[in-house]
Amino acid sequence: MGGEPRNDGSRARSGRFAALDAAAVNQDGFLREEHAAGLVTMSSPADPEPSLRVEDGVVVELDGRPAAEFDVIDEFLAAHGIDLAVAAEAMALEPVQIARMLVDINVPREEVVRIARGLTPAALARAVALLRPAETVLALTKMRARRTPSNQAHVTNRLDDPLLIAADAATAVAFGFRELETTVPVLGDAPCNALAMLVGSQVAAAGALTQCSIEESQELLLGLRGLTTYAETISLYGTEQVFVDGDDTPFSKAFLASAYASRGLKLRVTSGAGAEVLMGAAEGCSMLYLEARCVKLAWAIGAQGVQNGAIEGINIAGALPRGMAEAVAENLMVMMCGLESCSGNDTLMSQSDVRRTAHVMPIFLAGSDFLFSGFGSVTAYDNMFGPSNFNGDDLDDYLVLQRDWGVDGGLRPVDEPELLDLRRRAATAVRDVLHHLGLASFDDARIEAVVGAHGSKDLEDLDPQIVVDAAQGIVERPVTAVEVVAALAATGHAAEAERVMAMLHQRLLGTYLQTAAVLDEEMNVLSARTDPNDYRGPGTGYQLAPARQAEIDGIRQARTRADLLGEFGRPLAGVEFRERGEAQPAADPREVAIGVSPSFAAEINWTLSGQSVWEALRQILAGIEEEECVGRVIKVRHTIDVGLIGLTAARLSGSGIGVGLQAKGTVLIHRRDLPPLANLELLSVAPVITAEMYRTVGQNAARHVKGAPLKPLRNPYTEETIGARYHASTVGLVAIERAASRPGAAPVDLEVVR
Amino acid sequence: MTRAFSGRPLADVTVEAAVAGELRADDVRIHPDTLREQAEVAAAAGDERLAANLRRAAELTALGDDDLLRIYGALRPGRATEEELAAVRDELAERGATQCAALVEEAIASYRRRGLTR
């Protein structure tokens, strides 16, 4: 920390640096690049030069490696990962040519996909590494598979409380999420969570897809039972060592992908930077190159999509230079291969709100098939994946960001009473299903606690055995989605029964097995086939429909002028103001005139600080009186400008000193011989003016009359966002003043009647 | 008209049928023809890999849930001997899952070379 040692051995500290050290961002870890360990994001000396040699239709060299040296990943890629029909054409292109195709609006998405499928992993990585961040955003906009963006939520809790899972699933769908992912702190609970989420997901609207992320075989089993509708955590890795450590091979994963599809279940795979480094087997390669291998492998096994963008590894990528750029480059490679992108942003990557928000912005602005591969829709402590980059308590932030940028991030505002009703319906439905199937019993009090809960810490602890027993019952019986439908119908939850049945129909129709498929709330399949992204530059691609625009714009916090009028026009008690004819210049040399604005104590009765206009005025009058002067109140009607109001008062005042007071609370002292904008003292930040300060204004106005020394009066300093908090109100209040003002109308004396 | 694996028409897969206890597991399982149709849709859109996966899936509809879990387990690294994998390949071929059998055949060669058999 710099500086020469002092005599006592300590070093001088900069207060500026001490403050910087305490900043949230400095709780994050940062690393210098180390190529040998794979601690490098975009490119490493160990990354191979792109190469492809094909003899008699067989790949004999891939990215610098001859067939004899292929590992199991190379082998699978050589057999299935390169479209040999276009490989010669694609590999002949320079990386920069491919990079330019990505941002050239005259090159259609389909053409880039055609070329990318003929590239080797090293060639794919080289191309995307050339893009600047703004270019990546444009490329993401063009390249995602589905035109309509969507979003995915995590729905979990510490207790595996099935009622809370259901209520939170309903909540997530109400906010607009179309895929819900749960997992468990206790593995044995998984079937119960899956069932609760299946039911809860169909309460607010039809068609949300659900998954339960657990060990591969057990996850498949839940899918086979119909308790989940898709799978996502089918992990791929970029090196053979890590793949095998993960207890799979590309062949076992390819079989698993077909197994899911054979039961009509949607599947995407998961990969992302950092996994290989964390397992100590990155082979010195860059994260981007290793991920390019995963992406090509995902396409090779026939997966329809990929969850990447670093995922848990974002904390490793984020510690390194260009880590955020690498994460979105991963998403882009997925899109280039014509696959669905489920775009990360799902692990809290920084203690800093600034940094974690910056992380989501490229995908947020560009849109994606799923902007988050797990927005933590519950409160952070209940997220059993670990806190997400955005969590339930950030939902309003996210909704405001959508509105700020005019961007469809997949979510929508929710009405509080409506949400309580949905949560009650969801918790009740699951309670009834579990009871009907003889799996567990919960009382009404538990339902009510769940309905109002912020998270599981608001609930009494649940005997863990209850959930384990229910889960075991589901496995052993076995309970399938058909029994869930029957139980819902038998217990009076007809709408939910129909919707869960409709999800079973999707498994028979199979249309949602196509790339990037989601179901909208009318059960239409939106996919790369039915709703392809047709972005070709400004004016093309996904456009916000007017109704959707209105939904995004209509956040619950937005106010109309009528709302403001109601709030700031609340009646005053115990005081009246009466206009008493045109104000005349006065002769009393001890008089201070207080000019008030056109809507003062008429349309506007309350100031921005929360005090009444009468309280502000009363304090000023009392201050004048304390200094043995005389106050007089004048309603200025022709102007709303506080300077002109004060000057008008000063010119009518016997002393030549006037006070200008706007109804919103802004106040100044003026003198009759000064230009309008040159006042004596001004308190401009109305929201933070106290009663005591109004009194000091009165005292100082009188002291100006007497020529006495002034009391100190400063605009109160604050680091709070006064502007953001009050400007919306200020604009409304100014408009009300403007409407109340009458150009040419003379000032009138105002009598205060108590 | 879409039918379930059992042959039951989709229109007859209803809440009422569930309540009446008429629906069996195969009534809510996808039919191989449906998967082949979806494979054609994927191929027509230019995604031959997704199409191939859906064709393998169509073959796997002939297998029971336990078979799927067992074969998946055998393909995991170090789980099965080469002979056991060969038996899986033959079993798949016998049950008409020729493309899946070809995948296992590839795996056998790769696992042998990379030491991934038991």
Side-chain angles (χ1 to χ4, degrees):
Chain A
M1 285 299 141
E4 289 297 307
R6 294 175 181 151
N7 289 340
D8 64 1
S10 67
R11 286 176 188 273
R13 225 34 257 280
S14 155
R16 298 287 294 270
F17 269 81
L20 289 173
D21 284 349
V25 75
N26 284 319
Q27 294 181 42
D28 298 349
F30 298 95
L31 288 168
R32 290 187 188 277
E33 289 184 339
E34 279 184 51
H35 298 147
L39 288 170
V40 56
T41 55
M42 299 299 261
S43 73
S44 170
D47 291 350
E49 285 294 313
S51 76
L52 183 72
R53 271 199 323 120
V54 182
E55 288 175 7
D56 301 329
V58 176
V59 175
V60 296
E61 180 189 304
L62 178 68
D63 287 340
R65 197 177 279 181
E69 295 172 22
F70 281 174
D71 66 20
V72 70
I73 297 172
D74 299 319
E75 193 146 320
F76 202 94
L77 288 175
H80 306 284
I82 320 285
D83 183 351
L84 294 181
V86 295
E89 176 191 355
M91 292 299 289
L93 294 167
E94 291 295 322
V96 71
Q97 289 177 283
I98 298 164
R100 285 174 185 170
M101 289 171 72
L102 281 166
V103 295
D104 183 347
I105 58 171
N106 298 309
V107 178
R109 169 183 175 274
E110 296 73 23
E111 175 62 7
V112 180
V113 170
R114 188 183 72 84
I115 293 293
R117 286 174 175 167
L119 295 174
T120 64
L124 182 62
R126 285 272 168 109
V128 296
L130 290 171
L131 297 179
R132 296 182 183 90
E135 292 162 347
T136 303
V137 171
L138 179 59
L140 292 165
T141 305
K142 175 168 106 175
M143 292 306 301
R144 76 162 182 272
R146 188 191 332 109
R147 179 170 45 196
T148 308
S150 189
N151 216 331
Q152 184 201 97
H154 289 163
V155 179
T156 61
N157 66 66
R158 288 156 52 251
L159 308 176
D160 286 336
D161 182 321
L163 274 48
L164 187 57
I165 293 273
D168 285 337
T171 301
V173 172
F175 273 103
F177 292 102
R178 299 309 293 158
E179 276 193 358
L180 310 183
E181 178 182 22
T182 194
T183 192
V184 282
V186 179
L187 181 59
D189 294 350
C192 185
N193 281 30
L195 184 152
M197 197 159 75
L198 176 67
V199 172
S201 69
Q202 301 303 313
V203 171
L209 303 176
T210 62
Q211 63 151 324
C212 181
S213 170
I214 48 170
E215 188 277 328
E216 259 83 345
S217 298
Q218 303 196 47
E219 184 165 346
L220 176 59
L221 198 61
L222 293 177
L224 297 176
R225 298 276 170 79
L227 298 177
T228 57
T229 36
Y230 77 104
E232 168 179 86
T233 45
I234 310 302
S235 302
L236 303 183
Y237 303 98
T239 66
E240 181 181 83
Q241 181 67 56
V242 179
F243 220 120
V244 172
D245 287 347
D247 203 14
D248 266 301
T249 73
F251 296 95
S252 64
K253 291 295 192 191
F255 183 84
L256 192 57
S258 303
Y260 271 100
S262 78
R263 298 307 191 265
L265 288 160
K266 177 181 174 176
L267 171 139
R268 78 173 65 89
V269 296
T270 292
S271 49
E276 297 83 4
V277 178
L278 286 167
M279 305 274 277
E283 300 176 4
C285 295
S286 70
M287 294 172 177
L288 187 66
Y289 166 67
L290 293 180
E291 184 57 21
R293 284 164 65 85
C294 296
V295 170
K296 294 291 311 198
L297 197 52
W299 179 64
I301 71 172
Q304 63 78 35
V306 180
Q307 167 185 237
N308 72 1
I311 314 305
E312 289 95 341
I314 194 67
N315 291 308
I316 300 290
L320 293 163
R322 293 172 292 285
M324 298 305 103
E326 196 278 338
V328 287
E330 293 184 7
N331 304 140
L332 180 56
M333 293 192 297
V334 169
M335 296 174 183
M336 288 171 74
C337 289
L339 301 175
E340 171 194 73
S341 173
C342 196
S343 304
N345 295 314
D346 62 349
T347 300
L348 182 60
M349 54 71 66
S350 177
Q351 199 63 41
S352 157
D353 290 338
V354 175
R355 195 164 177 243
R356 70 185 175 98
T357 305
H359 170 48
V360 310
M361 288 313 281
I363 288 290
F364 179 77
L365 295 176
S368 180
D369 298 318
F370 294 94
L371 283 91
F372 288 63
S373 57
F375 188 119
S377 72
V378 294
T379 193
Y381 70 68
D382 265 334
N383 194 329
M384 293 298 106
F385 294 98
S388 185
N389 202 46
F390 274 49
N391 296 287
D393 299 336
D394 300 320
L395 278 164
D396 275 343
D397 289 86
Y398 192 80
L399 293 171
V400 169
L401 287 178
Q402 287 191 141
R403 183 178 186 262
D404 286 345
W405 291 91
V407 153
D408 189 337
L411 302 194
R412 62 186 166 201
V414 178
D415 180 54
E416 185 172 350
E418 184 192 333
L419 188 69
L420 290 170
D421 178 52
L422 291 170
R423 289 178 67 86
R424 185 171 293 107
R425 278 171 49 199
T428 307
V430 167
R431 189 268 305 265
D432 293 351
V433 167
L434 291 173
H435 185 76
H436 185 80
L437 295 172
L439 296 167
S441 290
F442 293 95
D443 59 17
D444 288 346
R446 186 75 183 182
I447 290 178
E448 283 312 306
V450 161
V451 168
H454 169 242
S456 65
K457 289 184 183 175
D458 294 345
L459 304 177
E460 283 177 29
D461 268 349
L462 189 61
D463 177 358
Q465 200 56 41
I466 293 175
V467 181
V468 171
D469 287 349
Q472 214 167 350
I474 293 167
V475 173
E476 284 168 6
R477 182 128 354 137
V479 174
T480 70
V482 172
E483 278 83 55
V484 174
V485 169
L488 282 166
T491 54
H493 302 282
E496 287 76 14
E498 289 293 345
R499 286 173 176 175
V500 174
M501 179 51 81
M503 296 307 289
L504 286 171
H505 284 179
Q506 291 303 316
R507 299 158 69 97
L508 301 183
L509 291 164
T511 44
Y512 82 145
L513 301 175
Q514 298 293 338
T515 307
V518 287
L519 298 162
D520 70 13
E521 295 182 0
E522 285 73 46
M523 297 302 283
N524 300 304
V525 174
L526 303 181
S527 71
R529 311 290 168 255
T530 63
D531 182 36
N533 181 13
D534 54 359
Y535 180 82
R536 291 290 297 277
T540 68
Y542 178 74
Q543 311 276 353
L544 287 173
R548 177 65 179 135
Q549 178 87 59
E551 192 173 61
I552 286 170
D553 294 351
I555 57 171
R556 62 191 166 83
Q557 304 91 328
R559 319 271 286 282
T560 63
R561 273 171 58 182
D563 295 334
L564 290 177
L565 207 57
E567 182 181 335
F568 290 96
R570 282 174 291 131
L572 292 174
V575 61
E576 267 182 65
F577 296 84
R578 288 182 196 151
E579 294 189 5
R580 290 286 178 213
E582 192 172 322
Q584 302 299 327
D588 180 353
R590 302 189 77 78
E591 182 195 86
V592 176
I594 304 167
V596 297
S597 61
S599 66
F600 187 96
E603 291 82 0
I604 301 174
N605 289 330
W606 299 83
T607 73
L608 283 169
S609 68
Q611 301 169 86
S612 72
V613 294
W614 164 237
E615 174 63 11
L617 179 62
R618 188 182 71 80
Q619 293 290 349
I620 295 167
L621 286 168
I624 292 168
E625 197 173 309
E626 278 164 18
E627 296 291 332
E628 290 135 2
C629 286
V630 181
R632 169 189 174 200
V633 185
I634 294 170
K635 165 78 66 99
V636 176
R637 301 182 295 175
H638 70 285
T639 179
I640 70 169
D641 177 79
V642 68
L644 278 176
I645 291 169
L647 185 59
T648 302
R651 286 173 178 163
L652 294 166
S653 162
S655 67
I657 296 295
V659 171
L661 175 63
Q662 282 178 322
K664 68 184 170 70
T666 307
V667 66
L668 54 65
I669 304 173
H670 225 306
R671 203 174 66 201
R672 69 174 154 221
D673 58 332
L674 295 174
L677 291 179
N679 58 70
L680 294 169
E681 288 193 79
L682 166 67
L683 292 179
S684 58
V685 191
V688 289
I689 302 175
T690 62
E692 192 185 357
M693 289 160 72
Y694 283 118
R695 185 170 286 241
T696 305
V697 167
Q699 289 167 339
N700 279 359
R703 289 182 182 202
H704 277 291
V705 171
K706 297 192 292 189
L710 301 178
K711 293 181 76 173
L713 183 63
R714 287 211 184 95
N715 274 302
Y717 170 72
T718 169
E719 57 184 89
E720 290 174 39
T721 54
I722 296 297
R725 198 174 309 162
Y726 294 104
H727 270 171
S729 295
T730 302
V731 167
L733 291 173
V734 166
I736 292 167
E737 288 275 26
R738 180 67 69 193
S741 70
R742 283 187 285 149
V748 291
D749 282 312
L750 204 59
E751 183 191 355
V752 181
V753 185
R754 304 200 58 198
Chain B
M1 184 180 58
T2 303
R3 290 178 178 276
F5 185 80
S6 62
R8 190 184 188 97
L10 184 134
D12 294 344
V13 180
T14 60
V15 171
E16 293 69 33
V19 171
E22 289 172 17
L23 295 183
R24 302 285 164 262
D26 288 351
D27 294 327
V28 289
R29 259 181 70 185
I30 194 164
H31 194 280
D33 289 349
T34 309
L35 284 163
R36 287 189 196 100
E37 284 160 26
Q38 291 304 319
E40 291 312 308
V41 172
D47 195 341
E48 283 297 340
R49 300 304 184 274
L50 178 57
N53 179 27
L54 295 174
R55 288 189 200 107
R56 286 195 296 271
E59 294 179 349
L60 292 181
T61 57
L63 277 66
D65 294 353
D66 293 343
D67 295 330
L68 294 182
L69 290 165
R70 175 173 54 81
I71 295 172
Y72 169 57
L75 282 167
R76 292 180 119 172
R79 290 295 206 293
T81 63
E82 191 170 329
E83 292 69 31
E84 287 165 338
L85 285 172
V88 167
R89 175 200 59 203
D90 295 344
E91 174 194 352
L92 286 165
E94 279 162 25
R95 298 174 78 170
T98 52
Q99 287 159 91
C100 292
L103 184 76
V104 175
E105 176 63 25
E106 279 183 51
I108 290 170
S110 182
Y111 289 10
R112 182 192 303 137
R113 225 168 45 75
R114 301 303 295 173
L116 296 173
T117 49
R118 182 157 60 83

